[in-house]
Amino acid sequence: MYYRPSSRRSGFSLIELVITMTIMAILVGVVSMRSGALTTKAQANKVAQTVETYKTACTMYFGDTGVTPLEYTGYTGATYHRLSQDPSVAGWSGPYIERPISQAESPVNSTVHLYASAVYANSDGFDIDGDGTADIAANAANTNVLAYWGVSAELAKAVDSIIDKSSATADWANTGRVEFNGSNHMTILVRW
């Protein structure tokens, strides 16, 4: 049998490899952008669920004791965990939540506090209805606010769209129950 070398080499040309790699890079980019949007939506849903859990717990605590509770991450003792540990407050019938608040309640695994007043609201307070005037004054007593640190504007806007059901209004960060300071701090009015 006579073997005759082919004039054409087998394999891929440089152009074919470049085109294939370009297509793969585009596909990876599309998939990663889509998965990032899904991650943000899941994080926002987690925050909304946490808000509802704490709203119920705070309402029950206030009904039993007549005072608003607080829960802080990074602190120990019943003084800082009034929903989960007996703070020796008259009427306490808890625990109102399963475990002390922790960074696990934060979608970005950072500090989250439940305050017993409307702290960290914008300087005028919470403008619930978006009419330009505060409906809940800054530092208003007998309210509960969840404060999250390390939150991106994208995540805060996603949370706002779930809790406040706002469209992409220009002032979404300063109206409704969700406020965002433009840096990395989000506050949510839980109970008022």
Side-chain angles (χ1 to χ4, degrees):
M1 199 161 162
Y2 173 72
Y3 175 74
R4 179 175 156 181
S6 170
S7 61
R8 181 157 192 227
R9 290 184 178 166
S10 61
F12 298 101
S13 70
L14 181 60
I15 297 291
E16 290 170 324
L17 287 173
V18 168
I19 290 171
T20 302
M21 291 175 71
T22 301
I23 291 170
M24 289 176 65
I26 290 170
L27 290 174
V28 166
V30 168
V31 169
S32 66
M33 285 185 351
R34 179 72 178 144
S35 67
L38 291 175
T39 300
T40 299
K41 186 174 182 178
Q43 289 174 326
N45 284 327
K46 178 180 181 175
V47 170
Q49 184 179 26
T50 300
V51 167
E52 287 306 310
T53 298
Y54 279 89
K55 181 178 182 179
T56 301
C58 290
T59 301
M60 290 172 47
Y61 181 95
F62 186 79
D64 289 347
T65 65
V67 295
T68 50
L70 54 86
E71 283 276 325
Y72 295 166
T73 58
Y75 292 81
T76 58
T79 302
Y80 301 104
H81 297 285
R82 294 179 178 215
L83 291 174
S84 59
Q85 299 172 11
D86 185 353
S88 299
V89 173
W92 192 87
S93 297
Y96 300 92
I97 56 176
E98 291 181 24
R99 63 186 183 285
I101 196 168
S102 69
Q103 289 183 336
E105 272 76 40
S106 171
V108 293
N109 200 31
S110 68
T111 302
V112 56
H113 291 333
L114 175 74
Y115 290 105
S117 65
V119 297
Y120 290 109
N122 286 333
S123 59
D124 296 334
F126 284 92
D127 179 8
I128 304 293
D129 56 14
D131 67 356
T133 60
D135 300 300
I136 306 295
N139 293 318
N142 295 326
T143 59
N144 284 110
V145 172
L146 270 171
Y148 290 87
W149 283 265
V151 175
S152 69
E154 178 185 18
L155 176 56
K157 195 169 192 176
V159 170
D160 183 72
S161 71
I162 293 170
I163 292 177
D164 289 335
K165 297 182 181 20
S166 65
S167 57
T169 60
D171 203 24
W172 70 267
N174 297 310
T175 59
R177 290 175 46 207
V178 178
E179 293 186 350
F180 183 67
N181 73 354
S183 175
N184 68 352
H185 189 255
M186 174 176 65
T187 53
I188 303 170
L189 186 60
V190 175
R191 195 193 73 75
W192 63 98

